[in-house]
Amino acid sequence: MAANAAIRQTTNRSAKRKPYLWRILLWVTLAITTAISLWPMYWLFMTSITPTREIIKTPPDLLPINASFENFQRLFSQTKDYWSWAINSVIITLSITFFHIFFDTLAGYAFAKKKFPGRTLFFWLILSTIMIPPHVTLVPLYVVVQTFNLRDSLWAVILPGWSYVFGIFLMRQFIQTIPTELEEAGRIDGCSEPGIFWNIILPLSKPAIAALSIFTFVRFWNDYLWPSMVLIKSPSFTLPVGVANLQSEFSTDYGLIFSGAALAALPMIVFFLLFSRYFLDGVRMGALKG
Amino acid sequence: MSEKSNKKLSRRKFVALTGGALVTGGILAACGDPTATTVPVATTAAPAATTASATTAAASATTAVATTAASATTAAASATTAAAGATTAAGGAATVGNFINSKSGYKGSLVYWVLGYAPGSTSGFNKSSDAAVAAFTKANPDIKVEIIGYTADQAGFAKVANAVQAGSGVDVFRIPNDSLPTLIAQGLVAPIDEYLTADDKADILPNLFDLVRFDNKLYAWPLWVPPVGLYLNLDVFKERGVEPPKSGFTYEEFVDIAKKLTFKRANGEQVYGYSALIDPGLVDTWPIIFSDGGRPLSADNTKYTFNSPEAISGLKKLTDLALVHKVTPPDFGTQKQDDILTAMKGKLQAMWTRPSGDSSVLKTAGLNFDVIQPPIGKTGKAVSAGGVGLIAVPPSKDKAKQQAGMDLARYLTSPQTEKEIPGYYLAPGARKSVTVVEPYSKFTPIAPTAWITPSLAVWPDIRTLIHPNLQNAVFGKISAEEALGKPADEVNKLLAKK
Amino acid sequence: MARAELKKARAQNFGFGQRVTGFIRKYGWGYAFVLPSMLVFTVFTLIPVAWAFIISFQDFRLRRDSPWVGFQNYIDAFTTQNGVFAEAIRNTVYYTALTVTANIFIALIIASLIQPLNKYAQTFFRAAYYLPAVTSAVIIAVIWRWMFNTQWGFLNYLLSLVGQKPVRWLSDPDIALNSVVLSTVLTVPATGIVLFSAAMGSIPKDYYEAAEIEGAGPVRKWWSITLPLIKATTLYVVVLYTIASFEVFEKVYVMVPSGVGNSTQTIVTQIYQKVFNPSLSQFGVASAQAIILFLIIASISVIQFRFLKTDVEY
């Protein structure tokens, strides 16, 4: 990268005289970084369709010339719980996302527009916990899960997921930008308070809701640490926990691991390709960490 | 009652919950609707969600099991003084009694946690566990048994301990002897004395009782004694025209052979003479460290002795393989089990020190291999290392259930299992009456030479302290002397605390 | 509004019951709307955080008495296991320093490079860089572990093409942590790029035009206009990446599970090991370590805010 900077500096000086050279260098740099960025994904999908005996050969194949679906066949015949993992991931992620879309918008609306005693205190409390690493609550939550015997229950993952407060903050910031006149107009038309929320605030918050739901979805779809602590039996695993387990397993079967991983990554990738605009908008709104 | 339908139900509940919330939204949407104004709908939605939660919660716990792997062997990886005479086919297979029928009168299900079990895995161990449990439930139609697999790492053991402590979800569990005392200290294991018959007492190898005796009570059913043996990848020997060694060969001969078997094939494949796993829960490389007479703790388990000159020269023998003789693969010290199994199956590794469980995998893979006693050092005596696999039952208020758990544990550690499911035992058995089959029988003569990981509550902490130092010594980062000297103070402190 | 005021005034003149009704009428909806969120927030964040502080001063046991031990857990965190936690902190700081610096630098350069492109090209590149970020860290780590494999890995294959000896990426204690750093650095910092390019896009064009009239070249413009004007974003991105780096876990846990000596221990892998101690007696120490992590993150964030503080708003 330092080289790029150097190239940039030297070429910029003569940019007017050598526009083509500068452009070529620009595109080469972008092409290389794009390749580096996408390489692991390519490698993942390539290996997932390469039989195990071909994977461990030197030199490795760079193109899927030995492509076959035998890894996937074995994945489904041997890893019987794979679909359970997928279904659990869907249930967990949807429950959490749905909660956040609905209740964070409600709370965000109240914090942005309503006045009530304690509002500042509540909001300050929420803000102050944003920087606390999730690992601080690991032990207490684990104790709660032990005490109420929620081990292996999807609720052990869903309930703490609901308290991910970033959404409230995001929605408040967004709803503050909605002109208060619109609500007033609704009140004059005889809308109830919930009616105003549903008919005016919710539709106008769509961009923020799109960002929030996408990021909540991705974050919890990929979550590993907490689910791996509280989900114990294989049929209650989520996809990342299952895949990590495939790999820590006694399986010598790299093909199996990669096909499982590729399949787990696929929905998010499709999701991203379909909605990339909303993703990128969302990042801009600051909905995502790291 | 099937748990599957239970789960489906919960999924339906989930859909209903989502739908309910949508309906709530619909109500909210009604502008000017008087009902909507009087009831704060948003708040009612929340309790609805919480009630549903209770039911679904139960639902997600579910069916069979999956996961992990890891070999009987890893389990075994632990263990204390020589389990002398472990097993051997010692005759009397004819006198196999009946262990399978439970007279507990218990109707219901038992959850059996199995170290390293992975459903769908092709390992012999999986199959025999399934088969044994199937036989038991067939003989006792009122009892259902669910198998849960767990990993042989810290997290796996902690999960069992947590589940037992939570008082549900574990009725029988298989555990290595060095992880048992922690659980006993927390009151999580039921004594077996009243369930142990005179026949059992006479049959089980007496020295194994010492490993499960605390305050004069016996706490678990000894299952097997998997010692570390030296696997020989015979095709690699043949390829290089090297005569496979026999039990009793020395470390010097071992190095010589390993050097000959470290070579590059014409097609560019690199073959290595020796490798083994180094992990906090394993003792795979310890026979070499022990070969000059060094041991981690004094005979009465009160003092750290791994910093003795004998132990240091033993560790040096191990590190020399990597640093001086260069017969180990570059990743030696951080390899995972799948790395080594892949190398063994691919005939890229000639020798491997490992307990008996993995021989089932190699056998299934059709590999041509033999197992002998690990090489002998300055003491001139054969030595190995290992642990004892145990099956334990947590205390339960339901006496019938506890009895049923004990009956299952007895059956799973009995000679009857092996008789009806040949190959059930993946290691020399803990009873005199158990005769194990090939290739596990190759470990039978090794078992009496094995140092067994101590049944000490602090042992898991001790081995965690020792482990990174062994790794660093193998990497050449610190000397053998530093590696074994470093943990001394803290280990002694731990031993004093006990 | 006036009616509500009137009602309020009236309510004040009457009894307690009416005052309550008035209060509810006035603020009821506000409370009703925040209630569900605040409820889960209180139960699953606020109380656990407070409880974690308490546990960190106890010899915490499940289902048993947990005696107070003062600062013993904080002392134990550093003194047991030959001080591995201190080593873990050093490793984490090392990892953070390298990856955050590299990530910010790369993100700035790439964002600047794609800035002059047309809208479609910009969107394409942002999407291409962002794609791996939607994949689970566990899966990314599985791929990297394979790429780093000494015998069959892709990186050693590349080295062999230029005649280099294989490197023990994940098994040499002097290299392993650097390999983890490398895998992070080679993952293009997509969030940073998107944020930087949004910030750069919102800088008014006339600033640049004015500079051009004064004869400034591209580098000069970049240095004197772009960088100062995106300082707020830079601060935000730095803090974001710093926090994420301090919390690194999945990557390390999947790539080097049993540690390479102790050379790849990080703060969170240490916490994880303490939570999952089979003796179930390390919860207090785990909590103490988590709180230490929080204090480190908080103080570094404060320093970064001070250091990069900016008054420029645009």
Coordinates of all heavy atoms in Angstrom, one line a residue, chain B residues 334 468 471-472 475, chain C residues 170-174 176 256 258-264:
Chain B
T334 N 1.6 -27.5 16.8 CA 0.3 -26.8 16.7 C -0.7 -27.6 15.8 O -1.8 -27.1 15.5 CB 0.4 -25.4 16.1 OG1 1.1 -25.6 14.8 CG2 1.2 -24.5 17.0
P468 N 1.7 -24.7 27.5 CA 2.4 -23.7 26.6 C 3.9 -23.8 26.6 O 4.6 -23.5 25.6 CB 1.9 -22.3 27.0 CG 1.1 -22.5 28.2 CD 0.9 -24.0 28.4
Q471 N 5.0 -26.6 24.3 CA 4.9 -26.0 23.0 C 6.1 -25.2 22.7 O 6.8 -25.4 21.6 CB 3.7 -25.2 22.8 CG 2.5 -26.0 22.2 CD 1.4 -25.1 21.8 OE1 1.1 -24.0 22.4 NE2 0.6 -25.5 20.8
N472 N 6.4 -24.2 23.5 CA 7.5 -23.3 23.3 C 8.9 -24.0 23.2 O 9.8 -23.6 22.5 CB 7.6 -22.2 24.3 CG 6.6 -21.1 24.0 OD1 6.3 -20.9 22.8 ND2 6.0 -20.5 25.0
F475 N 9.1 -25.6 19.9 CA 9.4 -24.5 18.8 C 10.8 -24.1 18.9 O 11.3 -23.3 18.0 CB 8.5 -23.3 19.0 CG 7.0 -23.6 19.0 CD1 6.1 -22.9 19.7 CD2 6.5 -24.5 18.1 CE1 4.8 -23.2 19.7 CE2 5.2 -24.8 18.0 CZ 4.3 -24.1 18.8
Chain C
L170 N 1.3 -20.4 11.1 CA 0.5 -20.5 12.3 C 1.2 -21.4 13.4 O 0.6 -21.7 14.4 CB -0.9 -21.0 12.0 CG -1.7 -20.1 11.2 CD1 -3.1 -20.7 10.9 CD2 -1.9 -18.7 11.8
S171 N 2.4 -21.8 13.1 CA 3.0 -22.7 14.1 C 4.3 -22.2 14.7 O 4.9 -22.8 15.5 CB 3.2 -24.1 13.6 OG 3.9 -24.1 12.4
D172 N 4.8 -21.1 14.1 CA 6.0 -20.5 14.7 C 5.6 -19.4 15.6 O 4.9 -18.4 15.3 CB 6.8 -19.9 13.5 CG 8.2 -19.3 14.0 OD1 8.2 -18.9 15.2 OD2 9.1 -19.3 13.3
P173 N 5.9 -19.5 16.9 CA 5.5 -18.5 17.9 C 5.9 -17.1 17.6 O 5.2 -16.2 18.1 CB 6.1 -19.0 19.2 CG 7.2 -19.9 18.8 CD 6.8 -20.5 17.5
D174 N 6.9 -16.9 16.8 CA 7.3 -15.6 16.5 C 6.5 -15.0 15.3 O 6.6 -13.8 15.0 CB 8.8 -15.5 16.1 CG 9.7 -15.9 17.3 OD1 9.3 -15.6 18.4 OD2 10.7 -16.6 17.1
A176 N 3.1 -16.5 14.4 CA 1.7 -16.7 14.4 C 0.8 -15.5 14.6 O -0.1 -15.3 13.8 CB 1.4 -17.8 15.5
V256 N -5.9 -20.5 15.6 CA -4.9 -21.1 16.5 C -5.5 -21.5 17.8 O -5.3 -20.9 18.8 CB -3.7 -20.2 16.7 CG1 -2.7 -20.4 15.6 CG2 -4.1 -18.8 16.8
S258 N -5.3 -23.9 20.2 CA -4.7 -24.2 21.4 C -3.6 -23.2 21.8 O -2.8 -23.4 22.7 CB -4.2 -25.6 21.5 OG -3.1 -25.8 20.6
G259 N -3.5 -22.2 21.0 CA -2.4 -21.2 21.2 C -1.1 -21.7 20.7 O -0.9 -22.9 20.6
V260 N -0.2 -20.8 20.4 CA 1.1 -21.2 19.9 C 2.0 -20.8 21.1 O 2.4 -19.6 21.1 CB 1.5 -20.5 18.6 CG1 2.8 -21.0 18.1 CG2 0.4 -20.7 17.6
G261 N 2.3 -21.7 21.9 CA 2.9 -21.3 23.2 C 1.8 -20.4 23.8 O 0.6 -20.8 23.8
N262 N 2.1 -19.2 24.3 CA 1.0 -18.3 24.6 C 1.0 -17.1 23.6 O 0.4 -16.1 23.9 CB 1.2 -17.8 26.0 CG 0.6 -18.8 27.0 OD1 -0.3 -19.5 26.7 ND2 1.2 -18.9 28.2
S263 N 1.7 -17.3 22.5 CA 2.0 -16.1 21.7 C 0.8 -15.6 21.0 O 0.8 -14.5 20.4 CB 3.1 -16.4 20.6 OG 2.5 -17.3 19.7
T264 N -0.3 -16.3 20.9 CA -1.5 -15.8 20.3 C -2.7 -15.6 21.2 O -3.8 -15.4 20.8 CB -2.0 -16.7 19.1 OG1 -2.2 -18.0 19.7 CG2 -1.0 -16.8 18.0

